[in-house]
Amino acid sequence: MVGREAPSRPSADPVAAWIQARDAVQAALDDPETAATERDTMFGRMSFEQIVGQFGCFDLLVHTWDLARAAGLDERLDPEEVHRVFETAKPMDEMMRRPGVCGPKLEPPPGADEQTRLLAFLGRAV
């Protein structure tokens, strides 16, 4: 994505794969030139740093909930991150409804907290 070769995938060990991917992204972010490298995205021209901050962290937060829900674990997310992601997502509402991005919004229950409203906005039934 920024002119670097992706690391080879380790064995089927998901923890090792996560650590390797995380370390590769962090190394790219630690290099000011690489972090500032821009590319065109479906949401406009963005630096690698912006892509990771807006979409990588966005995906991690939402998929943390997905995995917790699937595994029957604690689904509570960090309220500050929920707020940041929701504020990032709202202006992209129309673009997010494109195939392969997000499904249709759901109506949150009356009086829902911000996490529930975010998840409904992203099409997740709580």
Side-chain angles (χ1 to χ4, degrees), residues 51-73:
I51 293 167
V52 170
Q54 289 186 12
F55 303 109
C57 294
F58 180 114
D59 277 357
L60 286 173
L61 182 77
V62 174
H63 295 313
T64 293
W65 181 86
D66 293 333
L67 291 169
R69 167 60 59 106
L73 302 172

Side-chain angles (χ1 to χ4, degrees), residues 39-81:
R39 69 174 293 218
D40 293 319
T41 73
M42 69 172 57
F43 301 105
R45 192 146 185 88
M46 301 176 79
S47 69
F48 179 68
E49 183 174 41
Q50 288 173 312
I51 293 167
V52 170
Q54 289 186 12
F55 303 109
C57 294
F58 180 114
D59 277 357
L60 286 173
L61 182 77
V62 174
H63 295 313
T64 293
W65 181 86
D66 293 333
L67 291 169
R69 167 60 59 106
L73 302 172
D74 183 357
E75 300 171 9
R76 288 173 294 175
L77 300 171
D78 180 278
E80 289 180 23
E81 280 302 298

Side-chain angles (χ1 to χ4, degrees), residues 8-119:
S8 61
R9 273 185 105 171
S11 66
D13 176 2
V15 173
W18 167 252
I19 291 169
Q20 187 176 27
R22 179 203 60 202
D23 290 351
V25 170
Q26 189 62 60
L29 290 170
D30 289 342
D31 175 1
E33 186 176 322
T34 303
T37 300
E38 293 185 345
R39 69 174 293 218
D40 293 319
T41 73
M42 69 172 57
F43 301 105
R45 192 146 185 88
M46 301 176 79
S47 69
F48 179 68
E49 183 174 41
Q50 288 173 312
I51 293 167
V52 170
Q54 289 186 12
F55 303 109
C57 294
F58 180 114
D59 277 357
L60 286 173
L61 182 77
V62 174
H63 295 313
T64 293
W65 181 86
D66 293 333
L67 291 169
R69 167 60 59 106
L73 302 172
D74 183 357
E75 300 171 9
R76 288 173 294 175
L77 300 171
D78 180 278
E80 289 180 23
E81 280 302 298
V82 166
H83 182 74
R84 187 188 68 75
V85 164
F86 203 4
E87 292 304 308
T88 298
K90 287 176 190 175
M92 298 185 295
D93 185 9
E94 188 175 313
M95 289 183 282
M96 290 174 58
R97 306 302 158 202
R98 294 169 30 180
V101 182
C102 284
K105 292 187 272 194
L106 302 175
E107 189 64 34
D113 64 10
E114 190 168 37
Q115 176 176 314
T116 302
R117 292 192 320 272
L118 168 65
L119 295 166

